[in-house]
Amino acid sequence: MKELIIIAIGAALVNNVVLSQFLGLCPFLGVSKKIETAAGMGGAIIFVITLSSAITSLIYTFILEKTNLTYLRTIVFILVIAALVQFVEMFLKKSMPGLYQSLGVFLPLITTNCAVLGVAITNVQKEYNLLQSVVNGFATALGFTISIVILAGLRERMEYNDVPESFKGMPIVLITAGLMAIAFFGFSGLI
């Protein structure tokens, strides 16, 4: 149990996928304009990463390793991720059309989000079992969601601030993300 808690805290806070590893920056910067949209993207990422962690772990352990086809892991992982994203996209289009419209092009881009693939490959490289893979995937996605929602909240507040003209738009967002990364670096002493 202690090992799972360490994996969770490490994945969510210490080695935050966005602010430490710099993976998944496209949706992090693109969808973080409003808290509702950022939370919706975070929910989609949580679903996709958690499920893909479980499925890729099972496929890697019981199929790829047993048949000595481990060199196919990247292709297989991408196919699993693409299928899950299609499922999420169909679900959101049917049940939450407003969120589906607000996520726009960033929803299908989860397929190519390097954070999702990065978690699956990290699980293999660290030789996590199924439970550890799922915990790592969920915690990583939770860390992504925390980061994107915090940035969205800060961006909403920055709309009403007096920002110098040369820093308006993406420059101030990048500076804010950099300051968030420094703040998250403070969690490095937790584990």
Side-chain angles (χ1 to χ4, degrees):
M1 185 66 170
K2 180 181 175 185
E3 183 180 351
L4 294 177
I5 292 171
I6 290 173
I7 289 172
I9 291 173
L13 300 175
V14 177
N15 298 317
N16 186 285
V17 71
V18 176
L19 301 173
S20 256
Q21 299 175 20
F22 306 112
L23 298 174
L25 289 176
C26 180
F28 177 69
L29 297 173
V31 184
S32 61
K33 293 178 183 169
K34 295 187 179 251
I35 291 177
E36 296 83 25
T37 309
M41 176 59 88
I45 291 283
I46 287 173
F47 178 80
V48 170
I49 289 182
T50 304
L51 258 139
S52 70
S53 293
I55 294 170
T56 56
S57 176
L58 291 170
I59 289 172
Y60 187 80
T61 303
F62 294 112
I63 297 173
L64 298 179
E65 276 189 334
K66 300 278 188 218
T67 58
N68 285 332
L69 296 173
T70 55
Y71 60 90
L72 291 175
R73 73 177 180 199
T74 304
I75 295 169
V76 171
F77 292 176
I78 289 172
L79 290 173
V80 168
I81 292 164
L84 287 171
V85 170
Q86 284 300 110
F87 177 73
V88 168
E89 192 171 358
M90 290 185 315
F91 174 77
L92 288 179
K93 189 174 187 178
K94 189 86 167 164
S95 64
M96 298 179 210
L99 179 60
Y100 176 79
Q101 290 294 331
S102 65
L103 290 176
V105 72
F106 293 102
L107 186 59
L109 284 179
I110 294 175
T111 303
T112 59
N113 187 342
C114 53
V116 182
L117 182 60
V119 171
I121 291 174
T122 299
N123 290 339
V124 169
Q125 288 176 341
K126 292 189 175 182
E127 298 178 357
Y128 286 157
N129 62 31
L130 177 63
L131 182 59
Q132 291 170 328
S133 294
V134 170
V135 168
N136 184 50
F138 178 76
T140 300
L142 185 64
F144 178 88
T145 303
I146 291 168
S147 301
I148 196 170
V149 168
I150 289 172
L151 183 63
L154 291 171
R155 284 181 77 171
E156 282 185 1
R157 301 269 316 206
M158 282 190 287
E159 284 183 26
Y160 305 107
N161 291 345
D162 186 26
V163 177
E165 192 63 38
S166 60
F167 287 111
K168 286 189 178 180
M170 197 51 66
I172 195 69
V173 173
L174 292 172
I175 290 170
T176 304
L179 291 172
M180 284 176 58
I182 291 170
F184 269 68
F185 184 70
F187 291 122
S188 63
L190 284 176
I191 58 171

